[in-house]
Amino acid sequence: MIVTEKLFEIEDQTEKLVQTILASESIESYKINRQTMYASKDVREKQKAFLDAKDSFERIEAYGNHAPDFRTKQRAVRQAKRALDMSEEVAEFRFSETEVQTILDLVGMAVAKTISADIKVDAGNPFFEKGKHSGCGGNCHAS
């Protein structure tokens, strides 16, 4: 790559974009929600309960239905995970995380679309519905 004045302009514009994104309400909300989630004693307790249940299940998982208490331990993992996911702090964090991911997906799509409509963008959000980015349309498979 040859370093030119245009490359420096692109770098400057990229830095401005990054600073604008970092100064946005979505990022501020994300940071606050992340800090709140990690500071929460309730979240830590639920996370420990989930990790303990997961560890207990993983020790017998390879044996499948033949292991004693397989279903009970499997259900305990799911219940602990649900309790963790449904806590208010985690739910708020996940919501703000998805909001930030959507912003980043939109920026990536806008840049790609500016260059060419044929560029595929892998959006990090599975529910992202803007544009056709979720596959190759059958054109990327070897025949």
Side-chain angles (χ1 to χ4, degrees), residues 43-117:
V43 170
R44 283 194 306 270
E45 289 171 358
K46 288 178 181 179
Q47 186 177 30
K48 183 178 179 347
F50 167 68
L51 292 173
D52 290 345
K54 181 180 171 200
D55 184 51
S56 177
F57 176 68
E58 284 176 346
R59 282 187 253 138
I60 65 163
E61 184 178 22
Y63 302 105
N65 289 325
H66 303 293
D69 297 330
F70 179 80
R71 293 280 181 226
T72 305
K73 289 184 178 191
Q74 186 181 46
R75 184 171 288 125
V77 170
R78 289 183 185 148
Q79 289 171 337
K81 176 71 169 140
R82 178 139 176 89
L84 178 61
D85 288 344
M86 294 305 291
S87 76
E88 186 175 332
E89 295 90 350
V90 173
E92 286 293 322
F93 171 72
R94 294 264 169 83
F95 178 77
S96 61
E97 186 178 45
T98 302
E99 189 175 348
V100 169
Q101 183 65 54
T102 301
I103 291 169
L104 298 175
D105 291 343
L106 287 169
V107 169
M109 291 277 302
V111 170
K113 193 182 290 183
T114 300
I115 296 167
S116 170

Coordinates of all heavy atoms in Angstrom, one line a residue, residues 43-117:
V43 N -26.3 -9.9 40.4 CA -25.8 -10.5 39.1 C -24.6 -11.4 39.4 O -24.6 -12.5 38.9 CB -25.4 -9.4 38.1 CG1 -24.6 -10.0 36.9 CG2 -26.6 -8.6 37.7
R44 N -23.7 -11.0 40.3 CA -22.6 -11.9 40.6 C -23.1 -13.2 41.2 O -22.6 -14.3 40.9 CB -21.6 -11.2 41.6 CG -20.8 -10.2 40.9 CD -19.6 -9.8 41.8 NE -20.0 -9.3 43.1 CZ -20.3 -8.0 43.4 NH1 -20.2 -7.1 42.5 NH2 -20.6 -7.6 44.6
E45 N -24.1 -13.1 42.1 CA -24.6 -14.4 42.7 C -25.3 -15.3 41.7 O -25.1 -16.5 41.7 CB -25.6 -14.0 43.8 CG -25.0 -13.4 45.1 CD -26.0 -12.8 46.0 OE1 -27.2 -12.9 45.8 OE2 -25.6 -12.3 47.1
K46 N -26.1 -14.7 40.8 CA -26.7 -15.4 39.8 C -25.7 -16.0 38.8 O -25.9 -17.1 38.3 CB -27.8 -14.6 39.0 CG -29.0 -14.3 39.9 CD -30.0 -13.4 39.2 CE -31.2 -13.1 40.1 NZ -32.2 -12.3 39.4
Q47 N -24.7 -15.3 38.5 CA -23.6 -15.8 37.6 C -22.9 -16.9 38.2 O -22.6 -17.9 37.6 CB -22.6 -14.6 37.3 CG -21.6 -15.0 36.2 CD -20.7 -13.9 35.9 OE1 -20.4 -13.0 36.7 NE2 -20.2 -13.9 34.6
K48 N -22.6 -16.8 39.5 CA -21.9 -17.9 40.2 C -22.8 -19.2 40.2 O -22.4 -20.3 40.0 CB -21.6 -17.5 41.6 CG -20.8 -18.6 42.4 CD -20.4 -18.2 43.7 CE -19.7 -19.3 44.5 NZ -19.7 -20.6 44.1
A49 N -24.1 -19.0 40.5 CA -25.1 -20.1 40.5 C -25.1 -20.8 39.1 O -25.1 -22.0 39.0 CB -26.5 -19.6 40.9
F50 N -25.1 -19.9 38.1 CA -25.1 -20.5 36.7 C -23.8 -21.2 36.4 O -23.9 -22.4 35.9 CB -25.3 -19.3 35.7 CG -25.0 -19.8 34.3 CD1 -25.8 -20.7 33.6 CD2 -23.9 -19.3 33.6 CE1 -25.5 -21.0 32.3 CE2 -23.6 -19.6 32.3 CZ -24.4 -20.5 31.7
L51 N -22.7 -20.7 36.7 CA -21.4 -21.3 36.5 C -21.3 -22.6 37.3 O -20.7 -23.6 36.8 CB -20.2 -20.4 36.8 CG -20.1 -19.2 35.8 CD1 -19.0 -18.2 36.3 CD2 -19.9 -19.6 34.4
D52 N -21.8 -22.6 38.5 CA -21.7 -23.9 39.3 C -22.6 -24.9 38.7 O -22.2 -26.1 38.6 CB -22.2 -23.6 40.8 CG -21.2 -22.8 41.5 OD1 -20.0 -22.6 41.1 OD2 -21.5 -22.2 42.6
A53 N -23.8 -24.6 38.3 CA -24.8 -25.5 37.6 C -24.2 -26.0 36.3 O -24.3 -27.2 36.0 CB -26.1 -24.9 37.4
K54 N -23.6 -25.1 35.6 CA -23.0 -25.5 34.3 C -21.8 -26.5 34.5 O -21.7 -27.5 33.8 CB -22.5 -24.2 33.6 CG -21.9 -24.5 32.2 CD -21.4 -23.2 31.6 CE -20.6 -23.4 30.3 NZ -19.8 -22.3 30.0
D55 N -21.0 -26.2 35.5 CA -19.8 -27.1 35.8 C -20.3 -28.4 36.2 O -19.8 -29.5 35.7 CB -19.0 -26.4 36.9 CG -17.7 -27.2 37.1 OD1 -17.0 -27.6 36.2 OD2 -17.5 -27.6 38.3
S56 N -21.3 -28.5 37.0 CA -21.9 -29.7 37.5 C -22.5 -30.5 36.3 O -22.3 -31.8 36.2 CB -23.0 -29.5 38.5 OG -23.6 -30.6 39.0
F57 N -23.1 -29.9 35.4 CA -23.7 -30.6 34.3 C -22.6 -31.0 33.3 O -22.7 -32.1 32.8 CB -24.7 -29.6 33.6 CG -25.3 -30.2 32.3 CD1 -26.1 -31.3 32.4 CD2 -24.9 -29.7 31.1 CE1 -26.6 -31.9 31.2 CE2 -25.4 -30.3 29.9 CZ -26.3 -31.3 30.0
E58 N -21.6 -30.2 33.1 CA -20.6 -30.6 32.1 C -19.8 -31.8 32.6 O -19.3 -32.5 31.7 CB -19.6 -29.4 31.9 CG -20.2 -28.3 31.0 CD -19.3 -27.1 30.9 OE1 -18.3 -26.9 31.7 OE2 -19.6 -26.3 30.0
R59 N -19.7 -32.1 33.9 CA -19.1 -33.3 34.4 C -19.8 -34.5 34.0 O -19.1 -35.6 33.8 CB -18.9 -33.2 35.9 CG -17.7 -32.3 36.3 CD -17.5 -32.3 37.7 NE -18.0 -31.1 38.3 CZ -18.6 -31.0 39.4 NH1 -18.9 -32.0 40.2 NH2 -19.0 -29.8 39.8
I60 N -21.1 -34.5 33.8 CA -21.8 -35.7 33.4 C -22.4 -35.7 32.0 O -22.9 -36.6 31.5 CB -23.0 -36.0 34.4 CG1 -24.0 -34.8 34.3 CG2 -22.5 -36.1 35.8 CD1 -25.3 -35.2 34.9
E61 N -22.2 -34.5 31.3 CA -22.8 -34.3 30.0 C -22.4 -35.4 29.0 O -23.3 -35.9 28.2 CB -22.4 -33.0 29.5 CG -23.1 -32.6 28.1 CD -22.7 -31.2 27.7 OE1 -21.7 -30.7 28.1 OE2 -23.4 -30.7 26.9
A62 N -21.2 -35.9 29.0 CA -20.7 -36.9 28.0 C -21.5 -38.2 28.1 O -21.6 -38.9 27.2 CB -19.2 -37.1 28.2
Y63 N -22.0 -38.5 29.3 CA -22.7 -39.7 29.5 C -24.2 -39.7 29.1 O -24.9 -40.7 29.0 CB -22.6 -40.2 31.0 CG -21.2 -40.3 31.4 CD1 -20.6 -39.3 32.2 CD2 -20.5 -41.4 31.0 CE1 -19.3 -39.5 32.6 CE2 -19.1 -41.5 31.4 CZ -18.6 -40.6 32.2 OH -17.2 -40.7 32.6
G64 N -24.7 -38.5 28.8 CA -26.0 -38.3 28.3 C -27.1 -38.8 29.3 O -26.9 -38.7 30.5
N65 N -28.1 -39.4 28.8 CA -29.2 -39.9 29.6 C -28.9 -41.0 30.6 O -29.6 -41.3 31.5 CB -30.4 -40.3 28.7 CG -31.1 -39.2 28.0 OD1 -31.2 -38.1 28.6 ND2 -31.5 -39.4 26.8
H66 N -27.7 -41.6 30.4 CA -27.3 -42.7 31.2 C -26.7 -42.2 32.6 O -26.6 -42.9 33.5 CB -26.2 -43.5 30.5 CG -26.6 -44.0 29.2 ND1 -27.6 -45.0 29.1 CD2 -26.2 -43.7 27.9 CE1 -27.8 -45.3 27.8 NE2 -27.0 -44.5 27.1
A67 N -26.4 -40.9 32.6 CA -25.9 -40.3 33.9 C -27.0 -40.0 34.8 O -28.1 -39.6 34.4 CB -25.1 -39.0 33.6
P68 N -26.8 -40.3 36.1 CA -27.8 -40.0 37.1 C -28.1 -38.5 37.2 O -27.1 -37.7 37.1 CB -27.3 -40.5 38.4 CG -25.9 -40.9 38.2 CD -25.6 -40.9 36.7
D69 N -29.3 -38.1 37.3 CA -29.6 -36.7 37.4 C -29.3 -35.9 36.1 O -29.2 -34.6 36.2 CB -29.0 -36.0 38.6 CG -29.4 -36.6 39.9 OD1 -30.6 -37.1 40.0 OD2 -28.6 -36.6 40.9
F70 N -29.2 -36.5 35.0 CA -28.8 -35.8 33.8 C -29.9 -34.7 33.5 O -29.5 -33.5 33.3 CB -28.8 -36.7 32.6 CG -28.5 -36.1 31.3 CD1 -27.2 -35.7 31.0 CD2 -29.5 -35.8 30.4 CE1 -26.8 -35.1 29.7 CE2 -29.2 -35.1 29.2 CZ -27.9 -34.8 28.8
R71 N -31.1 -35.0 33.5 CA -32.2 -34.1 33.2 C -32.3 -33.0 34.2 O -32.5 -31.8 34.0 CB -33.5 -34.8 33.0 CG -33.6 -35.6 31.8 CD -33.9 -34.8 30.5 NE -34.0 -35.7 29.4 CZ -33.4 -35.5 28.2 NH1 -32.7 -34.4 28.1 NH2 -33.5 -36.3 27.2
T72 N -32.1 -33.4 35.5 CA -32.2 -32.4 36.6 C -31.1 -31.4 36.5 O -31.4 -30.2 36.6 CB -32.1 -33.2 37.9 OG1 -33.1 -34.2 38.0 CG2 -32.3 -32.3 39.1
K73 N -29.9 -31.9 36.2 CA -28.8 -30.9 36.1 C -28.9 -30.1 34.9 O -28.5 -28.9 34.9 CB -27.5 -31.7 36.2 CG -27.2 -32.2 37.5 CD -25.8 -32.9 37.6 CE -25.6 -33.4 39.1 NZ -24.2 -33.8 39.3
Q74 N -29.4 -30.7 33.8 CA -29.6 -29.9 32.5 C -30.6 -28.8 32.8 O -30.4 -27.6 32.4 CB -30.1 -30.8 31.4 CG -30.2 -30.2 30.1 CD -30.7 -31.2 29.0 OE1 -31.6 -31.9 29.3 NE2 -30.0 -31.2 27.9
R75 N -31.7 -29.1 33.5 CA -32.7 -28.2 33.8 C -32.2 -27.1 34.7 O -32.5 -25.9 34.5 CB -34.0 -28.9 34.4 CG -35.1 -27.9 34.6 CD -36.4 -28.7 35.0 NE -36.9 -29.4 33.9 CZ -37.2 -30.7 33.8 NH1 -37.0 -31.4 34.9 NH2 -37.7 -31.2 32.7
A76 N -31.4 -27.5 35.7 CA -30.8 -26.5 36.6 C -30.0 -25.5 35.9 O -30.0 -24.3 36.2 CB -30.0 -27.2 37.7
V77 N -29.2 -25.9 34.9 CA -28.4 -25.0 34.1 C -29.3 -24.0 33.3 O -29.1 -22.8 33.3 CB -27.5 -25.7 33.1 CG1 -26.9 -24.8 32.1 CG2 -26.5 -26.6 33.8
R78 N -30.3 -24.5 32.7 CA -31.3 -23.6 32.0 C -31.9 -22.6 32.9 O -32.1 -21.5 32.5 CB -32.3 -24.5 31.2 CG -31.7 -25.2 30.1 CD -32.8 -26.0 29.4 NE -32.3 -26.8 28.3 CZ -32.8 -28.0 27.9 NH1 -33.9 -28.4 28.5 NH2 -32.2 -28.7 27.0
Q79 N -32.4 -23.1 34.1 CA -33.0 -22.2 35.0 C -32.1 -21.1 35.5 O -32.5 -19.9 35.6 CB -33.6 -23.0 36.2 CG -34.8 -23.8 35.8 CD -35.3 -24.8 36.8 OE1 -34.5 -25.1 37.7 NE2 -36.6 -25.2 36.8
A80 N -30.8 -21.5 35.8 CA -29.9 -20.5 36.3 C -29.5 -19.5 35.2 O -29.4 -18.3 35.5 CB -28.6 -21.3 36.8
K81 N -29.4 -20.0 34.0 CA -29.1 -19.1 32.9 C -30.3 -18.1 32.7 O -30.1 -16.9 32.4 CB -28.9 -19.9 31.6 CG -28.7 -19.1 30.4 CD -27.3 -18.4 30.4 CE -27.1 -17.8 29.0 NZ -26.5 -16.5 29.1
R82 N -31.5 -18.6 32.7 CA -32.7 -17.8 32.6 C -32.7 -16.7 33.7 O -33.0 -15.6 33.5 CB -33.9 -18.6 32.5 CG -35.2 -17.8 32.4 CD -36.2 -18.4 31.5 NE -37.4 -17.7 31.4 CZ -37.7 -16.7 30.6 NH1 -36.8 -16.3 29.8 NH2 -38.8 -16.1 30.6
A83 N -32.5 -17.2 34.9 CA -32.5 -16.2 36.1 C -31.4 -15.1 35.8 O -31.7 -13.9 36.1 CB -32.2 -17.0 37.4
L84 N -30.3 -15.5 35.4 CA -29.2 -14.5 35.1 C -29.7 -13.6 33.9 O -29.6 -12.3 34.1 CB -27.9 -15.2 34.7 CG -26.7 -14.3 34.3 CD1 -26.3 -13.5 35.5 CD2 -25.6 -15.2 33.9
D85 N -30.1 -14.1 32.9 CA -30.6 -13.3 31.7 C -31.7 -12.4 32.0 O -31.9 -11.3 31.4 CB -30.9 -14.2 30.5 CG -29.7 -14.9 29.9 OD1 -28.6 -14.4 30.2 OD2 -29.9 -15.8 29.1
M86 N -32.6 -12.8 32.9 CA -33.8 -12.0 33.2 C -33.5 -11.0 34.3 O -34.4 -10.2 34.6 CB -34.9 -12.9 33.7 CG -35.4 -13.9 32.5 SD -35.9 -13.0 31.0 CE -37.4 -12.2 31.6
S87 N -32.4 -11.0 34.9 CA -32.1 -9.9 35.9 C -32.1 -8.6 35.2 O -31.7 -8.5 34.0 CB -30.8 -10.2 36.7 OG -29.7 -9.8 35.9
E88 N -32.6 -7.6 35.9 CA -32.8 -6.3 35.2 C -31.5 -5.7 34.7 O -31.4 -5.2 33.6 CB -33.4 -5.3 36.2 CG -33.8 -4.0 35.6 CD -34.5 -3.1 36.6 OE1 -35.1 -3.6 37.5 OE2 -34.4 -1.8 36.4
E89 N -30.4 -5.8 35.5 CA -29.1 -5.3 35.1 C -28.6 -5.9 33.8 O -28.1 -5.3 32.9 CB -28.1 -5.4 36.2 CG -28.4 -4.6 37.4 CD -29.2 -5.4 38.4 OE1 -29.7 -6.5 38.1 OE2 -29.4 -4.9 39.6
V90 N -28.7 -7.3 33.7 CA -28.2 -8.0 32.5 C -29.1 -7.7 31.3 O -28.6 -7.5 30.2 CB -28.2 -9.5 32.8 CG1 -27.8 -10.3 31.5 CG2 -27.1 -9.8 33.9
A91 N -30.4 -7.6 31.5 CA -31.3 -7.3 30.4 C -31.0 -5.9 29.9 O -31.0 -5.7 28.6 CB -32.7 -7.4 30.9
E92 N -30.8 -4.9 30.7 CA -30.5 -3.6 30.3 C -29.1 -3.5 29.5 O -29.0 -2.9 28.5 CB -30.4 -2.6 31.5 CG -31.8 -2.3 32.0 CD -32.6 -1.4 31.0 OE1 -32.1 -0.6 30.3 OE2 -33.8 -1.7 31.0
F93 N -28.2 -4.3 30.0 CA -26.9 -4.3 29.4 C -27.0 -5.0 28.0 O -26.5 -4.4 27.0 CB -25.8 -5.1 30.2 CG -24.6 -5.4 29.5 CD1 -23.7 -4.3 29.2 CD2 -24.3 -6.6 29.0 CE1 -22.5 -4.6 28.5 CE2 -23.1 -6.9 28.3 CZ -22.2 -5.8 28.1
R94 N -27.7 -6.1 27.9 CA -27.9 -6.7 26.6 C -28.6 -5.9 25.6 O -28.3 -5.8 24.4 CB -28.6 -8.1 26.8 CG -27.9 -9.1 27.6 CD -27.1 -10.0 26.7 NE -26.2 -10.9 27.5 CZ -26.5 -12.0 28.1 NH1 -27.7 -12.4 28.2 NH2 -25.5 -12.6 28.8
F95 N -29.6 -5.1 26.1 CA -30.3 -4.2 25.2 C -29.4 -3.1 24.7 O -29.4 -2.9 23.5 CB -31.5 -3.6 26.0 CG -32.3 -2.6 25.1 CD1 -33.1 -3.0 24.1 CD2 -32.1 -1.2 25.3 CE1 -33.8 -2.1 23.4 CE2 -32.8 -0.3 24.5 CZ -33.6 -0.8 23.5
S96 N -28.6 -2.5 25.5 CA -27.7 -1.5 25.1 C -26.6 -2.1 24.2 O -26.1 -1.4 23.3 CB -27.1 -0.7 26.3 OG -26.3 -1.5 27.1
E97 N -26.1 -3.3 24.5 CA -25.1 -3.9 23.7 C -25.6 -4.2 22.3 O -24.9 -3.9 21.3 CB -24.7 -5.3 24.3 CG -23.6 -6.0 23.7 CD -23.3 -7.3 24.5 OE1 -24.2 -8.1 24.8 OE2 -22.1 -7.6 24.7
T98 N -26.9 -4.6 22.2 CA -27.5 -4.8 20.9 C -27.7 -3.5 20.1 O -27.5 -3.4 18.9 CB -28.9 -5.5 21.0 OG1 -28.7 -6.7 21.7 CG2 -29.6 -5.7 19.7
E99 N -28.0 -2.4 20.8 CA -28.1 -1.1 20.2 C -26.8 -0.7 19.6 O -26.7 -0.2 18.5 CB -28.6 -0.1 21.3 CG -29.0 1.2 20.7 CD -29.6 2.1 21.8 OE1 -29.9 1.7 22.9 OE2 -29.7 3.3 21.5
V100 N -25.7 -0.8 20.4 CA -24.3 -0.5 19.9 C -24.0 -1.4 18.7 O -23.4 -0.9 17.7 CB -23.3 -0.6 21.0 CG1 -21.9 -0.5 20.4 CG2 -23.5 0.4 22.0
Q101 N -24.3 -2.6 18.7 CA -24.0 -3.5 17.6 C -24.7 -3.1 16.4 O -24.2 -3.2 15.3 CB -24.3 -5.0 18.0 CG -24.0 -6.0 16.9 CD -22.5 -6.1 16.6 OE1 -21.7 -6.3 17.6 NE2 -22.1 -5.9 15.4
T102 N -26.0 -2.7 16.5 CA -26.8 -2.2 15.4 C -26.1 -1.0 14.7 O -26.1 -0.9 13.5 CB -28.2 -1.9 15.8 OG1 -28.8 -3.1 16.4 CG2 -29.1 -1.5 14.7
I103 N -25.6 -0.1 15.6 CA -25.0 1.1 15.0 C -23.7 0.7 14.2 O -23.5 1.2 13.1 CB -24.5 2.1 16.2 CG1 -25.8 2.7 16.8 CG2 -23.6 3.1 15.7 CD1 -25.5 3.4 18.1
L104 N -22.9 -0.2 14.8 CA -21.7 -0.7 14.1 C -22.1 -1.4 12.8 O -21.4 -1.3 11.8 CB -20.9 -1.5 15.0 CG -20.4 -0.9 16.2 CD1 -19.6 -1.9 17.1 CD2 -19.5 0.3 15.9
D105 N -23.2 -2.2 12.8 CA -23.6 -2.9 11.6 C -24.1 -1.9 10.5 O -23.8 -2.0 9.3 CB -24.8 -3.8 11.9 CG -24.4 -5.0 12.8 OD1 -23.2 -5.3 12.8 OD2 -25.3 -5.7 13.3
L106 N -24.8 -0.8 10.9 CA -25.2 0.2 10.0 C -24.0 0.9 9.4 O -24.0 1.2 8.1 CB -26.1 1.2 10.7 CG -27.5 0.7 11.0 CD1 -28.3 1.7 11.9 CD2 -28.3 0.4 9.7
V107 N -23.0 1.2 10.2 CA -21.8 1.9 9.6 C -21.1 1.0 8.6 O -20.7 1.4 7.5 CB -20.9 2.3 10.8 CG1 -19.5 2.7 10.2 CG2 -21.5 3.4 11.6
G108 N -21.0 -0.3 9.0 CA -20.3 -1.2 8.1 C -21.1 -1.4 6.8 O -20.5 -1.5 5.7
M109 N -22.4 -1.5 6.9 CA -23.2 -1.6 5.7 C -23.1 -0.3 4.8 O -23.0 -0.5 3.6 CB -24.7 -1.8 6.1 CG -25.0 -3.1 6.7 SD -25.3 -4.4 5.5 CE -26.6 -3.8 4.6
A110 N -23.1 0.8 5.4 CA -23.0 2.1 4.7 C -21.7 2.2 3.9 O -21.6 2.5 2.8 CB -23.2 3.3 5.6
V111 N -20.6 1.8 4.6 CA -19.3 1.8 4.0 C -19.2 0.8 2.8 O -18.8 1.2 1.7 CB -18.1 1.5 5.0 CG1 -16.8 1.3 4.3 CG2 -18.1 2.7 6.0
A112 N -19.7 -0.4 3.1 CA -19.6 -1.4 2.0 C -20.5 -1.0 0.8 O -20.1 -1.2 -0.3 CB -20.1 -2.7 2.6
K113 N -21.7 -0.5 1.1 CA -22.6 -0.1 0.0 C -22.0 1.0 -0.8 O -22.3 1.1 -2.0 CB -24.0 0.3 0.6 CG -25.1 0.3 -0.5 CD -26.4 0.8 0.1 CE -27.0 -0.3 1.0 NZ -28.3 0.0 1.6
T114 N -21.3 1.9 -0.2 CA -20.7 3.0 -0.9 C -19.7 2.5 -1.9 O -19.5 3.0 -3.0 CB -20.0 4.0 0.1 OG1 -21.0 4.5 1.0 CG2 -19.4 5.1 -0.6
I115 N -19.0 1.5 -1.5 CA -17.9 0.9 -2.4 C -18.5 0.1 -3.5 O -18.3 0.2 -4.7 CB -16.9 0.1 -1.6 CG1 -16.2 1.0 -0.6 CG2 -15.9 -0.6 -2.5 CD1 -15.4 0.3 0.5
S116 N -19.4 -0.9 -3.1 CA -20.1 -1.8 -4.1 C -21.3 -2.5 -3.4 O -21.2 -2.9 -2.3 CB -19.1 -2.8 -4.6 OG -19.8 -3.8 -5.3
A117 N -22.3 -2.6 -4.2 CA -23.5 -3.3 -3.7 C -23.3 -4.8 -3.5 O -24.0 -5.5 -2.9 CB -24.7 -3.1 -4.6

